Amino acid sequence: MLPALTRTTTKPRLDHYISPSADASKREHDRVVPTWNYLTAHVYGNLVVHDAPGWLDTLVRRLTAMQEADSAQPWSVDDAPAKFVAGQLRAIVGERLMITGSKRS
C-alpha cells in the first residue's frame, strides 16, 4: 500500500518542489526529472525500503501529479522518454519512515 500524500500551499517555503518544466534542458532532450529543495529534519523511526518498480512508478506518478496540479503547463512523467524514466526508477530507493521521535537542532 502506498503512503497517503499531503500537500501544503503555504508560500513562501524554504523547502519546495521544482518542476522539470523549469529546466532549460527539457527543450533540448526531455531527459529531466522533478527535484526538491529541502530542509533537514532529525527524526527517528522504523524504515521500510521499497524497491519494486511498480510501487516506485506509481508513487513517482502520484507525487508528480500532485505537485504539478497548479501549473499552467503541468509536467508529466510521460513527457520524458520511457527508457529514461525506467533508468531513473532503477536509481530510486523508495523509503517509508514511520516516525517515532524527533530531535531539535
Side-chain angles (χ1 to χ4, degrees), residues 61-78:
R61 288 174 183 279
R62 285 178 63 201
L63 287 169
T64 300
M66 181 180 72
Q67 294 297 329
E68 292 283 339
D70 295 336
S71 176
Q73 295 181 336
W75 182 85
S76 165
V77 172
D78 294 321

Side-chain angles (χ1 to χ4, degrees), residues 1-3 47-60 85-96:
M1 171 168 256
L2 293 172
L47 185 67
V48 178
V49 176
H50 294 278
D51 59 1
W55 189 93
L56 293 169
D57 182 68
T58 299
L59 183 61
V60 166
V85 171
Q88 294 297 302
L89 288 173
R90 282 193 303 274
I92 294 173
V93 176
E95 298 175 347
R96 185 182 202 182

Side-chain angles (χ1 to χ4, degrees), residues 2-61:
L2 293 172
L5 301 178
T6 59
R7 183 169 186 227
T8 180
T9 56
T10 306
K11 293 183 182 178
R13 295 182 303 205
L14 296 177
D15 67 317
H16 64 280
Y17 172 82
I18 300 173
S19 173
S21 298
D23 190 330
S25 63
K26 180 182 185 317
R27 290 184 287 282
E28 297 171 26
H29 52 63
D30 281 332
R31 292 186 315 266
V32 295
V33 296
T35 191
W36 194 272
N37 277 353
Y38 58 90
L39 297 173
T40 301
H42 298 277
V43 296
Y44 308 90
N46 300 312
L47 185 67
V48 178
V49 176
H50 294 278
D51 59 1
W55 189 93
L56 293 169
D57 182 68
T58 299
L59 183 61
V60 166
R61 288 174 183 279

